[in-house]
Amino acid sequence: HCLDQRATVQQEVPEVLRDSAFRLRALATFGTLSCWERLPSSQKTLAQRFNLPKPPVTMAIANGDPPVPLALSAVVEPDQLREKLAQPLAAKISPIDGLAAFKSLCTKRRACLVVCYRSATTLRTANKIAAPLLEKHRGVRAVALDMSS
């Protein structure tokens, strides 16, 4: 959750995040960041770097991907938050369709798994095998390259 140190009013972390921090600890780590303070390395704020909306901002960050803002207006229970987090936290094999996609997804990673396939069945099998491994090794990006044509 983003806090704004420049704010003139007291900021509170949403109650559902406090409840979820304990109940969902096996799924994710919860915390707060100062998203509107300049980073020493780039002189930009996190909000500028990742084009975050205006406060309040709650976001999910996983798998080395950019932050995904979460809308928590209707979320009151940890199980509802678990459902919202399922998609952004899921480890997946991303399809690539050219060199530009490969560069953006793989070249800045220490490890990238390239799955080449010729049929949808082969890709589904690769997903079943790779998904548990990608869950354990979050820093690894997996991409799929269609070799059928």
Side-chain angles (χ1 to χ4, degrees), residues 3-127:
L3 297 177
D4 187 355
Q5 301 298 341
R6 306 167 302 151
T8 57
V9 295
Q10 178 73 23
Q11 295 180 11
E12 294 290 326
V13 174
E15 188 68 32
V16 69
L17 289 182
R18 280 193 228 125
D19 294 344
S20 300
F22 179 75
R23 292 193 43 204
L24 302 179
R25 67 186 178 276
L27 175 68
T29 302
F30 294 82
T32 59
L33 291 168
S34 297
C35 295
W36 287 271
E37 288 186 16
R38 296 195 184 283
L39 299 169
S41 61
S42 68
Q43 295 304 311
K44 285 185 174 181
T45 65
L46 286 173
Q48 290 169 332
R49 182 171 178 206
F50 295 110
N51 199 24
L52 297 176
K54 294 187 185 298
V57 177
T58 301
M59 59 189 168
I61 305 169
N63 308 319
D65 293 331
V68 176
L70 300 172
L72 296 183
S73 57
V75 177
V76 293
E77 294 292 326
D79 289 334
Q80 292 172 313
L81 183 59
R82 178 194 317 267
E83 290 173 19
K84 280 222 179 253
L85 291 172
Q87 197 276 330
L89 297 184
K92 58 187 169 289
I93 299 177
S94 303
I96 57 173
D97 55 5
L99 187 57
F102 178 78
K103 282 183 177 180
S104 70
L105 292 172
C106 280
T107 56
K108 293 181 182 175
R109 301 274 179 158
R110 285 184 25 191
C112 185
L113 171 67
V114 179
V115 176
C116 298
Y117 67 96
R118 291 187 189 270
S119 70
T121 305
T122 306
L123 182 58
R124 280 193 298 274
T125 302
N127 270 318

